Structure formats: C-alpha cells, structure tokens
C-alpha cells in the first residue's frame, strides 16, 4: 500500500519526496544543506551528477510504502526512465535547521 506524501512524518523528507515526484530540481536543491552528501548502495557518489542522472534527467518517482525513524527512513518503489522500477530504501539526515545534509539509498 502506498503512503500519500502529505502524511509523511518529517517535513523535510516530505518536501524531498514531493520535489522528486514533481521533477522540481530547484526545490530539491534548496532542501539540501551546504556540503550535503549522498551514497548509493553503500558507496559515496558525487551529489550533483547523481541527482541529475538518477532523479531529474531520468524522471525519477517515489511511491512510499513505509516510513520509520520519525519519517527519515523510507521504503519505496522507486522508478526512473533509465532503470525501471525497484524497491529501495532511502535514509535521510536532517539538520537542526530542517535541511538535508545526507541521504543514502539502495536496493531493499
């Protein structure tokens, strides 16, 4: 069962998912703290190249199936035009100012 975006527990994570689903790269980037980092399948990646390739130029979309850790860990069905659909986990670190300083994703 997919969870609608509106009840997601953490406002920064809710905005993150909404920006991905709306293909709002400017809004997505505004959510990131200066120096934000990310990892894919356990390996750190270059943030700018990765989000362009895996989210925005490939039209990424997240259907959230479950959340935990106060809404900062998600189990999703993620799809994009390059890789199709996969079950993935996303874990986000949100700073005290509400900006995302790190996210990690990988196959679930």
């Amino acid at each position: 069962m997919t969870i609608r975006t509106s009840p997601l527990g953490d406002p920064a994570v809710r905005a993150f998912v909404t920006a991905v689903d709306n293909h709002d790269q400017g809004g997505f980037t505004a959510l990131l703290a200066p120096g934000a980092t990310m990892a894919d399948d356990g390996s750190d990646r270059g943030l700018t190249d990765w989000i362009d390739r895996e989210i925005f130029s490939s039209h990424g979309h997240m259907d959230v199936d479950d959340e935990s850790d106060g809404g900062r860990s998600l189990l999703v069905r993620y799809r994009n035009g390059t890789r199709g659909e996969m079950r993935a986990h996303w874990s986000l670190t949100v700073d005290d100012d509400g900006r995302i300083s790190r996210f990690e994703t990988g196959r679930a």
Side-chain angles (χ1 to χ4, degrees):
M1 180 171 104
T2 300
I3 297 173
R4 294 181 52 93
T5 305
S6 57
L8 289 175
D10 187 281
V13 174
R14 184 171 49 246
F16 181 96
V17 172
T18 299
V20 169
D21 289 350
N22 290 334
H23 311 291
D24 179 4
Q25 191 164 1
F28 180 93
T29 302
L31 296 167
L32 300 177
T37 61
M38 65 84 52
D40 183 6
D41 285 328
S43 297
D44 281 357
R45 308 287 182 181
L47 180 70
T48 303
D49 290 339
W50 192 92
I51 63 173
D52 180 58
R53 182 181 63 253
E54 299 293 335
I55 298 176
F56 295 105
S57 62
S58 62
H59 307 288
H61 186 84
M62 304 171 99
D63 288 322
V64 179
D65 290 331
D66 195 23
E67 69 173 327
S68 58
D69 190 26
R72 294 182 178 180
S73 291
L74 306 174
L75 180 62
V76 307
R77 283 172 286 127
Y78 184 76
R79 66 183 176 276
N80 68 28
T82 303
R83 303 187 191 285
E85 184 172 310
M86 69 186 88
R87 288 187 53 82
H89 65 85
W90 291 71
S91 177
L92 294 92
T93 302
V94 180
D95 288 347
D96 291 339
D97 67 356
R99 295 179 77 189
I100 297 166
S101 60
R102 182 167 177 85
F103 66 91
E104 298 180 18
T105 186
R107 289 187 183 261

